[in-house]
Amino acid sequence: MVKNVKNNYNAASIQVLEGLEAVRKRPGMYIGSTSERGLHHLVWEIVDNAIDEALAGYCNQIEVTITKNNEIIVKDNGRGIPVGIHKKTNVSTVETVFTTLHAGGKFGNGSYKVSGGLHGVGASVVNALSKYLEVTVYTNNKIYFQRFIDGGKSEAPLKEIGTTNQTGTEVLFKPDSEVFTETINFSYQVIKTRLRQLAFLNKAITIVLSDERETKLKQDTFFYQGGIKEYVGFLNTKFEALKHDIIYGESENQEIISEIALQYNDSEESQILSFCNNINTPEGGTHEDGFRLALTRELNNYAREHKMLKTDESFLADDVKEGLVAIISIRHPNPQYEGQTKTKLGNSEVRKILSNVSGKILNQFLLENPSEAKIIINKVILSLSARLAAKKARETVITNRKNPLQFSVLPGKLADCSVRNPQEAEIFLVEGDSAGGTAKLGRRRDFQAILPLKGKILNVEKAYFTKVFADQEVKNLIISLGCGIGSEFNIEKIRYHKVIIMTDADADGAHIRTLLLTFFYRFMRPLLDAGYIYIAKPPLYKLQINKLIKYAYNDEELEVLKLEYSGKNYNIQRYKGLGEMNALQLWETTMDPENRIVAKITVDDAAEADEVFETFMGKSVSSRKEFIQENAKYVKDIDV
């Protein structure tokens, strides 16, 4: 029954947020989150504005600097933001752009044919979320300057401060720590990866990244005359590329500029990246659909015409993508995305355009290069054969909760929980039988399941698909989770909504975590998308004074405890592994939902683990050697 309660809900109860207040009140609506990812999104927005100048043909150099004070400076040599008074706001256009949402040159006035960014809200959002922001404009042989503080408040109107023969815009900003409470420290590697990608996507543009925070200046310069063709070559350095030239082509149709580049390698994995106006579309969309349709169609046609396929055989989409590295990049004057995050392109006309364009490029290459065409077709035939063999292998490990005996029994090592609602159930993947036994004693049987893993699971980077399914530890994991794998994967059949990786806090434990994350990323990525994968964080130290016990999860926490109990007679134990804790300690520190520390793993986290593992454990020796040479200087201590 609804109870009638008198309250003061009236017109005065409705809050109206003016100007940039809305951004500061709900920053997640504009940059996704206020985590490290959202912090770096600020950089992307300012850089995207510079890239838009490049797309319009007015800019060929962009410089990004991380200053000693952890500020970001983005400078381009474009036209410079207009400095005249804006007729609607009665302040300078510069101030308008940095203080008014949806104010920019991307709304149909002809300033930009195509653009990325946040549709004109990028600059003002960055200003709103910064402690201070300074913009310097070089235009009409003059230099103009304006400074904003405390979330976008102008200190003074735009003013002329000098003369110049340069053109362009320079933006300096410092993120507001009151907004970004998790961190305001920028990652050089994260920014480097994105800027390198932008340089690939925009050929013949120079992008310079500098970091002034260390004693010695760190700097990288990116310039790729070949654009996405070089991008494919770069991605394929981690593999052994097949001996055929990178297939490349571009076309313009209905004001849509399309570029594709692709090359096969000898692996079983595919890497197809699609972009619209420089924005990555990880969920694909109509541009990627058109490319995939053309690829399957053209390879089938060529194989049949040259009698390389049996009459009852056809390549499927999964066959033609195996071992494929491809980039699809389009520039569209009016892109339409499905959802607010721009992860999937929705323009229906793009599918047909990309299918036709990709088909012509592929068909021409295959006809003009018969020996290389044969290499590609033979690779796809091997994929077709492997698919049929893998299908038989997969059928032996698929299971579901309602009737586990329908396909395979649950593994004997699994200590299952009694609850049958997956939303309430969690499973710990525990390193070793000893720690697994302790975890079984310490768990809560009603909602916690334990699966001990013997040693390290199979390195899926080197193993063929059929071998992955034959590995007993992998098979136990697949059966225990119950959701299947590959084309038979069904997330609705998952038996636990929390899959928690619990390993020792040492090098071997980190190795096992990386192996498992790589496996989930390769074969069960929807679990990562759904937020079902976690990593447990066991303590490193136990400080004990008589019966009082305190735990420290890192060296910093240990030092805090030492200070807190200085002058007292305490003992410190460093845990070398989970097996050194008894069942009660393991429950209290690592398994109790009320006290434990667990980290939810995102797709980005898993992708990073996958990339590192691919470098170390993949087939490319040269990539591994290069990585070790570049990073050996950063190694300080190795836990053995």
Side-chain angles (χ1 to χ4, degrees), residues 1 87 98 108 158 177 226 271 293 328 406 535 595 636:
M1 186 173 97
K87 63 181 181 180
F98 280 91
L158 183 74
S177 58
Q271 192 166 7
L293 286 169
I328 304 107
Q406 181 178 350
I535 287 180
N595 299 311
K636 295 180 180 178

Side-chain angles (χ1 to χ4, degrees), residues 299-318:
L299 293 183
N300 265 312
N301 290 344
Y302 187 90
R304 287 197 185 95
E305 289 173 7
H306 292 80
K307 299 185 176 4
M308 299 177 73
L309 269 178
K310 296 177 182 177
T311 54
D312 60 339
E313 289 181 339
S314 289
F315 298 141
L316 300 183
D318 285 345

Side-chain angles (χ1 to χ4, degrees), residues 121-185:
V121 304
S124 55
V125 165
V126 174
N127 195 11
L129 302 178
S130 295
K131 187 173 182 60
Y132 55 84
L133 181 147
E134 298 173 357
V135 56
T136 307
V137 179
Y138 307 86
T139 186
N140 302 324
N141 298 119
K142 296 178 181 179
I143 305 174
Y144 297 86
F145 176 84
Q146 189 165 12
R147 176 180 168 89
F148 304 89
I149 60 171
D150 299 332
K153 298 177 181 65
S154 175
E155 276 195 334
L158 183 74
K159 61 182 177 180
E160 182 184 331
I161 61 171
T163 60
T164 183
N165 58 4
Q166 299 181 45
T167 61
T169 303
E170 180 178 330
V171 178
L172 178 151
F173 68 91
K174 173 81 169 181
D176 193 336
S177 58
E178 292 184 7
V179 175
F180 298 95
T181 54
E182 184 177 307
T183 182
I184 57 169
N185 292 313

Side-chain angles (χ1 to χ4, degrees), residues 18 40 100 103 126 149 154 249 258 262 292 312 355 431 452 462 476 484 491 520 548 552 569 596 602 612:
E18 298 181 358
H40 288 87
T100 307
V126 174
I149 60 171
S154 175
S258 309
L262 65 142
R292 291 175 183 269
D312 60 339
S355 178
E431 174 187 353
K462 287 183 176 178
N476 287 343
I491 196 169
F520 287 127
L548 175 68
N569 186 21
R596 71 190 181 192
T602 68
V612 172

Side-chain angles (χ1 to χ4, degrees), residues 552-618:
Y553 290 81
N554 52 48
D555 292 334
E556 290 77 13
E557 290 185 10
L558 178 63
E559 293 304 315
V560 171
L561 287 177
K562 286 180 177 178
L563 286 173
E564 184 179 347
Y565 296 101
S566 61
K568 296 188 178 183
N569 186 21
Y570 56 73
N571 292 316
I572 295 175
Q573 178 185 357
R574 189 189 192 286
Y575 291 118
K576 294 181 179 179
L578 299 170
E580 294 189 5
M581 284 186 276
N582 61 39
L584 179 61
Q585 291 171 338
L586 189 60
W587 162 256
E588 290 177 341
T589 63
T590 317
M591 299 177 69
D592 180 1
E594 296 296 323
N595 299 311
R596 71 190 181 192
I597 299 174
V598 293
K600 181 184 290 188
I601 302 302
T602 68
V603 173
D604 287 346
D605 297 328
E608 184 177 348
D610 174 66
E611 182 177 354
V612 172
F613 203 75
E614 187 177 88
T615 302
F616 273 115
M617 304 299 283

Side-chain angles (χ1 to χ4, degrees), residues 126-262:
V126 174
N127 195 11
L129 302 178
S130 295
K131 187 173 182 60
Y132 55 84
L133 181 147
E134 298 173 357
V135 56
T136 307
V137 179
Y138 307 86
T139 186
N140 302 324
N141 298 119
K142 296 178 181 179
I143 305 174
Y144 297 86
F145 176 84
Q146 189 165 12
R147 176 180 168 89
F148 304 89
I149 60 171
D150 299 332
K153 298 177 181 65
S154 175
E155 276 195 334
L158 183 74
K159 61 182 177 180
E160 182 184 331
I161 61 171
T163 60
T164 183
N165 58 4
Q166 299 181 45
T167 61
T169 303
E170 180 178 330
V171 178
L172 178 151
F173 68 91
K174 173 81 169 181
D176 193 336
S177 58
E178 292 184 7
V179 175
F180 298 95
T181 54
E182 184 177 307
T183 182
I184 57 169
N185 292 313
F186 291 100
S187 164
Y188 185 87
Q189 188 59 44
V190 168
I191 297 175
K192 175 182 174 180
T193 300
R194 174 60 177 158
L195 295 185
R196 179 171 54 201
Q197 184 181 77
L198 286 170
F200 278 127
L201 292 168
N202 300 274
K203 54 188 172 186
I205 293 176
T206 300
I207 302 180
V208 182
L209 172 62
S210 305
D211 190 345
E212 299 175 343
R213 292 174 295 183
E214 298 181 8
T215 306
K216 185 179 179 182
L217 178 70
K218 187 188 297 185
Q219 192 170 78
D220 282 284
T221 300
F222 305 110
F223 175 87
Y224 303 106
Q225 188 68 49
I228 65 169
K229 188 174 181 180
E230 288 192 58
Y231 197 178
V232 167
F234 170 78
L235 294 174
N236 245 340
T237 56
K238 299 173 186 175
F239 305 99
E240 294 296 327
L242 297 188
K243 298 187 183 301
H244 75 83
D245 288 340
I246 296 174
I247 304 171
Y248 172 81
E250 61 180 316
S251 177
E252 182 169 0
N253 189 306
Q254 299 179 31
E255 295 188 321
I256 299 170
I257 300 172
S258 309
E259 277 188 284
I260 68 162
L262 65 142

